[in-house]
Every structure is written in structure tokens, then in C-alpha cells.
Amino acid sequence: MISTDTASLFLHPDRNLAMELVRATEAAAIRATPYIGKGRKNDADGAAVDAMRAFLGTVNFDGIVVIGEGEKDRAPMLFNGERVGNGHGPACDIAVDPIDGTSLTAAGRQNALSMIAVSDRGTMLDASSVFYMDKIVTDATGYGVIDIERPIGDNIRALAKAKGKDVGEITVAVLDRPRHEQLVDDIRAAGAATRMMLDGDVAGGINAARYGTRVDMCAGIGGSPEGVVTACALKALGGFIQTKLHPRTDDERQKAIDAGLDVDKVLNVDDLVRGDNTFFVATGVTDGQLVNGVRRLGPIIRTESIVLRSKSGTIRRVEADHLAAKWLDE
């Protein structure tokens, strides 16, 4: 008879899963590289999706895609509700984005990632009925200091005081979108600096939560799926996040209500992902502040990945050299 403690090992994702997930993000990133700078974002995404799906099919877990990709731009998808893995091992929720930053990839710009987040089954918030949410992310200093319902200037001043910095030393990462014009004006009026991101607010949130980066805060309206994925990473970093769903129309608001979501509630990291057993894995497609992109070095393809695990509170970097001939023959 298997003991309760032993049996529990088969019910939850374990540390070995991380390296299996890295294989999937590496494959997606490598397959996307021929399209970098070619202006063909859907082709890049399609190649990454096919590679990620193929590798996930070999992983020893029973995954259900809670957060798929492609729904906002009609690109190829790993769709919500799709089952991935070989059906054995732990039951998991999974969030996937074979390329976070398809436009960045197509334009040859920095900060495109291939990423996967995993948590225990039934723990990820399904916010698919609302495409966007308002977010504010910092490191652990934000707890008891930041309130998303206060003006951004007040939050900047409170964070600066808690960090022992001058307001002029605070840098806020913001997606470069017309909807953020007032937010950017308010940040600069408070005396803080902005770091404008063309895309990729997951990386922006992670950098705001990591120690030793040049970003103190990430704020603004971005994708709801990206908010949940960011929360998976923050569980390992001990970072702070608050969000509020941001329905764009009355119809979308009603869809959220019908799905049981409270559009007026401030959501914290535990509302977005319950429990303390999450993984976040990302491989660089193009160079960025989080990881380097895929590089061809003669007969070698080199990838760099980051692996975060909340159970152990660890951040690992994985640099891998792949024989290019193995990929060219496939």
C-alpha cells in the first residue's frame, strides 16, 4: 500500500517537470528563429505552436490549457481546454504562449519569449471572458504599500519611501500604447521615469519583481492571461501584484459576470493563482532584459532559459547548446 505522503507526489507537479517544460519552450523558440525580422508573425507563431505542442505531448503530466494563446489576434493556437502531456503523472493547469511578442519577432525587436506556466489543477484563474486587466507589479516591497485604486503618483511616492529612494530614482515599465498616454504623463509628473515596452508585459512584471534590475514597478492595462502567467512567476519571486479586470464593453462586462468574475474586485497574487506550487519557464526568442535570444554559433544553436519554481523559491538559468544538424534533419 502506498503511503499518503508518497501518493501525494503523484498528484502535484514536481521538480523534474521544470526541465521537461524547458525542452518545450526551447523547441518553440528555435523553430521561431527563421522568422525573426521577416514580418511574418503568424508563421513564426505557427512554427512555435507546432513545436511546443509536439514536445508537450511527451511530458509526463495531465495538463489542461487554461490560458491558451492566439485568441486576440486570430493566430495559430494552443486553445483553451486542450489537453496536453501524455496523460500520466500530476494533473495540472497550464498557461502557454509559444511566442510572447509575435510582433517583436516579426520586426526583429528585442524581448520576445516562449513561455509556459504550470500550477496544480484547478488553481489558475480563468479570466478568458475579459481580454484585459489593469495591473501594478513590484517586488516584495509593495506589500502593504501599493494600492492599485490609488493614483499612480501616490503609489510611486509610497514605493520610493519604502525603498529608501528618491522619487526621481524610480522607474516604471509601461506598455507603449495610446491608452497609456495619461498614465505616462502622471508617472512623469510625479517625478519618476518610464521604461516604455513595445510588447511583453510578462517580462516587464518579472523584471519589476526581481532584485537588481533597473525597473521598480510595472503598471498599466495589459492582457488578462499575461496577468495570471505573471502571478505564477511572482509566486517564486515573492513579488507583489494587484490587478482589476478591465472589460472594454458592456457586453464583455456581462460575460465576465456570467462567468462568475467580479469586475470590481482588486485581485492579488493568490486570487490569480491559488496554492504554492507553480512553475514558470521562458526561453528567449530574441535578446531581452530577461534572457538572451536564440543564437546560431557555427554547428551549435544556443538557447537561454529561466526557470522559476514557487515551491522552492528558486530562480535558475539554463543555457543549452543544441547540435544544429539535429534540428535541420527534423
Side-chain angles (χ1 to χ4, degrees):
M1 180 176 178
I2 300 177
S3 70
T4 302
D5 289 343
T6 303
S8 68
L9 296 176
F10 298 97
L11 300 177
H12 304 288
D14 67 13
R15 70 188 66 182
N16 296 322
L17 182 59
M19 292 310 298
E20 294 300 303
L21 297 175
V22 167
R23 292 173 60 235
T25 55
E26 288 172 346
I30 290 171
R31 289 304 191 197
T33 52
Y35 302 98
I36 294 173
K38 302 293 180 61
R40 296 156 57 188
K41 72 174 187 176
N42 282 357
D43 289 337
D45 206 29
V49 167
D50 289 344
M52 182 173 282
R53 180 181 280 118
F55 272 80
L56 284 176
T58 69
V59 177
N60 189 46
F61 77 137
D62 178 14
I64 291 181
V65 177
V66 175
I67 297 172
E69 62 88 45
E71 296 176 335
K72 284 184 288 188
D73 55 12
R74 299 180 182 177
M77 308 171 54
L78 274 155
F79 58 85
N80 288 8
E82 181 173 348
R83 298 191 84 100
V84 293
N86 62 14
H88 304 292
C92 303
D93 286 348
I94 180 168
V96 298
D97 200 341
I99 305 180
D100 177 36
T102 53
S103 296
L104 299 177
T105 302
R109 295 192 175 106
Q110 293 189 336
N111 295 314
L113 300 169
S114 175
M115 60 188 186
I116 296 173
V118 171
S119 65
D120 294 330
R121 176 68 51 81
T123 57
M124 278 188 195
L125 176 69
D126 181 359
S128 57
S129 56
V130 182
F131 281 155
Y132 292 104
M133 60 172 53
D134 198 2
K135 314 168 196 175
I136 190 164
V137 183
T138 72
D139 63 17
T141 310
Y143 283 98
V145 172
I146 299 297
D147 182 350
I148 196 172
E149 297 191 303
R150 291 205 318 248
I152 189 67
D154 290 351
N155 281 319
I156 288 170
R157 286 184 284 272
L159 184 65
K161 181 178 180 181
K163 285 192 164 193
K165 289 185 172 185
D166 292 332
V167 170
E169 297 179 275
I170 297 293
T171 299
V172 184
V174 182
L175 280 173
D176 192 357
R177 300 289 188 273
R179 63 178 178 264
H180 289 147
E181 288 180 4
Q182 187 61 56
L183 174 63
V184 170
D185 287 346
D186 291 344
I187 291 168
R188 292 171 179 169
T194 55
R195 175 161 292 183
M196 305 306 294
M197 303 179 293
L198 291 172
D199 214 334
D201 64 337
V202 172
I206 291 173
N207 280 326
R210 289 170 59 218
Y211 290 98
T213 73
R214 296 180 180 180
V215 176
D216 299 282
M217 179 188 294
C218 184
I221 297 167
S224 295
E226 287 83 355
V228 178
V229 170
T230 301
C232 285
L234 296 186
K235 289 272 184 172
L237 295 167
F240 169 88
I241 184 171
Q242 282 185 346
T243 72
K244 288 186 73 173
L245 295 171
H246 187 79
R248 296 164 295 171
T249 64
D250 290 340
D251 182 57
E252 193 174 34
R253 173 178 283 269
Q254 189 57 52
K255 285 181 179 178
I257 293 170
D258 292 343
L261 299 173
D262 185 346
V263 297
D264 297 314
K265 181 181 179 181
V266 174
L267 304 172
N268 61 33
V269 68
D270 291 319
D271 295 315
L272 297 170
V273 185
R274 300 190 307 277
D276 187 32
N277 194 29
T278 65
F279 292 87
F280 173 86
V281 177
T283 300
V285 178
T286 60
D287 287 346
Q289 297 174 3
L290 196 60
V291 285
N292 289 321
V294 178
R295 301 186 181 202
R296 179 70 183 266
L297 304 171
I300 296 297
I301 298 172
R302 178 166 294 169
T303 58
E304 185 180 7
S305 306
I306 188 169
V307 180
L308 310 179
R309 188 184 183 218
S310 67
K311 194 78 170 177
S312 55
T314 51
I315 307 169
R316 291 185 171 89
R317 291 187 178 273
V318 179
E319 186 176 89
D321 287 346
H322 314 257
L323 282 175
K326 296 289 186 179
W327 291 88
L328 295 174
D329 291 340
E330 288 180 0

